[in-house]
Amino acid sequence: MALGEQANIIIERAVMVPVRDGTKLRVDIYRPVDDEKHGVVMSAQGYDKDFFWQQHQHVMSPLVAAQKGFVAIVAEDRGRYGSEGVFEPYKNAGKDTYDLVEWAAVQPWSNGNVGLYGPCYNCTDGYMAALEQPPHLKAVFGNVSNPNCYKGWCYQNGVMVLSFMYTWSVMLNATDLNDASEGKKTSKSGSGKDVEGMLVMNVAHEAHRPPIPQDQWERAPWTLPLKDDKYLVGAHWWPEWLEHPMFDDYWKPYDSIGQAYKYKCATFIGSCWYDPTQLSHIRTFQAIQQNSDPSVRKDHRLLIGPWDHHAYMNTRPGCAGVRNFKTETGQMLMGPLCIKFMKKHLLGEGDGIFSDEKPVRYFRMGENKWIDVPSWPPVSENTNFYIHSGGNANTDAGDGTLNAKLPGQEARDTYTYDPKDPVMSYGGHSQMLTEGIHDHAEKFKGRQDILVYDTEVLEEDLLAEGAVSATIYAITSAEDTDFFVQLIDIEPDGFNCPVTQGIIRARFHNGYDHEDFITPGEIVKYEIECFDIAWLFQKGHRIRFAITSSEFPSYTRNLNSRVSPELGTEEDIVVANQQILHCEEYPSYITLPVVK
């Protein structure tokens, strides 16, 4: 079907392309009206290509790509909508997309060079395909996507990223899935209205407003065990994820960090500071830079913007929660970058994006400016900020302090963690009702299960760029528990701005590939990886470091027993008594990458 004489584009809809096992995948093809051979750009994803076609504009519209001289293909994943087979997130992504790439490469309108692109899950297929090394794949361009299916996508330091995985799974499960055996669509769960009432469809519309704790409480997935949640009945992948909290053989085939040496194509990794998968993006880029094929090592690019995950939605461009950074995002930013990237690597035209000398571009928060650097992280000096108190650091009215001085003999701070009354998420690296920057001031008032440590008012600016970690020495009365930490920038007007956060499941304190339960009453050292930052703490501000044992529903609640929290029931809940040590022998601290 021709779009129009002036557009000079032909659109072929619902073309069925067979992959290696005979399953046919449905694709739309947008191509210029000529007899030339073109570079091919493709977005293979798990959404309805008809309903979600606008989502492709969050990176690049296929119409724009065709107008720029490419053939653009939009493909639906196996088992989704018009494609045959059974949908299993990410499992068939690499092999199926490999076959689509190789099919596209030999079509009469193709020059043999194929690139994959898209936002979010729309480019998971691209990163997974890169690990399969299709010969004609020359470039992958992903934005807030998922290059690693375990780290940061499904689990963060052994704890399920519930806000991300639950909402995404409910959304997928609520749509009509293709039933290949019956040849018709079948509804796998409640109606779209039910889902909207739960929370999932509210993300893009409500993320701009301040969080309302009562909303979080009422709409959070409280069901135990999680596999019995009524909105996920029929989502066959959900119990599988719950049963694999460790980094085991289930996840290793989809680990782009450990398999970075397989990347033989140019890659663009777009991320943002408040994306739950931020660490997956950054660590994958670092691994690719160090370990990929030397012939393409100079062709990798990383961009980290100031936004949250859904800022690329057309309703919230440039935003992280309540803050609008007034920077282009979505197709306004990514479209031109993608075109330039693909022109270089598919057509051999132009200089591409950024430069070989400075392939990393990031947004420095606080100063609010874009910076180009040779690698990530920039040069910095790890500086420890130690916690102190007289044993009463509970709430922001406590006596907790934070500074660069080693502690002496100080009293321990204590609190009780009850999984039935968890600390509720307020934005940050979340994707429930709220994400990104929201004022956390109320969070630290009144709750005795949050320890708060503040610096004095800063007398000069402090710039921190790179990896952040927390080291805490703790005693718990349970055999397993969680520790959640958060770094806050307290502005002069009292606004508590979330900067970064981290969580660890105690049973994984010695690694995420095996369980090592805690002996109640023993002192254990926990090293907690937080999200990377590029943050200017300004003169006149204060830095806050907080410790607790829950952040729900951003993450699953630890039930404080030996059962996997993702599989436990109400009967498995145990109340844990926690002690945080900060003394000469056991100093607890947060480490910031300070730029001198």
Side-chain angles (χ1 to χ4, degrees), residues 287-305:
I288 289 174
Q289 267 203 324
Q290 296 169 10
N291 302 312
S292 66
D293 191 306
S295 66
V296 296
R297 195 166 293 171
K298 69 181 188 325
D299 295 326
H300 307 306
R301 299 291 185 265
L302 173 67
L303 181 145
I304 314 171

Side-chain angles (χ1 to χ4, degrees), residues 434-455:
T434 53
E435 55 188 297
I437 296 175
H438 295 275
D439 189 357
H440 280 51
E442 291 300 316
K443 178 177 182 178
F444 303 113
K445 297 183 184 299
R447 288 205 64 120
Q448 295 296 314
D449 55 353
I450 306 180
L451 305 179
V452 179
Y453 306 91
D454 295 345
T455 66

Side-chain angles (χ1 to χ4, degrees), residues 228-245:
D228 291 342
D229 188 277
K230 66 179 180 178
Y231 295 98
L232 288 169
V233 174
H236 52 273
W237 62 88
W238 182 246
E240 286 187 14
W241 292 350
L242 300 180
E243 291 164 3
H244 291 276

